[in-house]
Amino acid sequence: MLTTLEHLRIFVAVAEREHVTKAAEALHVTQSAASGAIAMIEARHDIKLFNRVGRRIELTEAGRVFLTEARAVLARAADAERTLAEFHGLQRGSLRLVASQTIASYWLPPTLARFHTRYPKVEVSVALANTESAADTVLSGAAELGFIEGEMDDPALAHWQVATDAMVLVSRHGEAPPVTLATLREARWIMRERGSGTRSTFEHAMRGMEIDPDLLDIALTLPSNEAVLAAVREGVGCAALSQRVVEAAVAARMVRILPISLPDRPFYAIRQIERYQSRAADAFLETIKPATEPGA
């Protein structure tokens, strides 16, 4: 029989008290169980741990050395249990997220701040990726949760809506002729890269207006919202962006929102359905809920 942690606890208790009965009482085990544990260790390793001197016992040299090691093993076991308890109570741990640019820059930070306030010992890292790359990151296991701007048709991913986002069309600030479907077809456009949720939402909206996005005059394709907004400010063309992205520029009269309504787009959370969801991920999703409930 292998030496177990319970055997070690009994041995240490007996060694510290130099008395089997007192050790058994302290551990709430029978005297025979305590004596049996000591006998099992001695028999397994063919070595004496105690000398019997009259009615008392004392450690042998091997017993003294073994006591030091046994205490160390029990301490490490206690540390291991404490670690699991801390993870269970979120007193430590880590959480890896991936999010599209608009979400990471404008929607996610308040949730990250609330989560940090509640669980300051949990380290959270956020990687940036467009919607398609974010899905790949979650599928590979490099991130436990993802937050994207478009639906994913992948049976390996669970996805559910966590927020909505107002989309607007913007141009450089200044006087401009009335906006019609014809002027939208003739305008120059600044676009996000393919695979971006912002671009796919815009293209879907254009098709809803019976405008083929493949026939638009695309002046620039840029990899970030900020780059697109900067190009709009310089008068390169028009763009579709999240209202969150353009609010400051509109207030500063650097760009204007065109009077064309676009449908709101949903923000989704995604996770790989076959992987265990950590308590940190559970807690993070709970932190999102107050911000996504009606009236929040």
Side-chain angles (χ1 to χ4, degrees), residues 93-233:
S94 62
L95 178 62
R96 292 173 297 173
L97 309 175
V98 62
S100 60
Q101 288 188 19
T102 303
I103 292 175
S105 299
Y106 298 94
W107 178 77
L108 201 54
T111 300
L112 292 170
R114 289 195 302 274
F115 184 81
H116 177 72
T117 298
R118 295 178 189 178
Y119 309 104
K121 300 295 186 181
V122 178
E123 180 182 351
V124 180
S125 61
V126 182
L128 288 178
N130 65 28
T131 293
E132 289 185 1
S133 296
D136 291 339
T137 301
V138 173
L139 284 170
S140 72
E144 184 171 357
L145 295 174
F147 297 93
I148 60 174
E149 301 159 14
E151 292 195 54
M152 294 301 303
D153 185 19
D154 191 319
L157 289 174
H159 74 281
W160 61 99
Q161 187 173 335
V162 293
T164 56
D165 184 42
M167 292 289 293
V168 294
L169 300 181
V170 292
S171 68
R172 186 177 185 178
H173 184 78
E175 293 186 4
V179 177
T180 65
L181 294 182
T183 58
L184 292 179
R185 289 188 180 94
E186 296 167 1
R188 287 187 303 168
W189 293 94
I190 306 157
M191 304 285 277
R192 284 286 308 277
E193 78 284 1
R194 293 194 182 278
S196 158
T198 296
R199 179 165 182 159
S200 63
T201 299
F202 169 72
E203 291 178 343
H204 181 74
M206 290 296 101
R207 293 188 185 98
M209 300 178 192
E210 298 185 349
I211 298 174
D212 186 347
D214 293 331
L215 300 179
L216 295 177
D217 179 9
I218 300 175
L220 292 173
T221 299
L222 299 172
S224 73
N225 295 322
E226 288 69 25
V228 171
L229 183 58
V232 173
R233 289 200 307 264

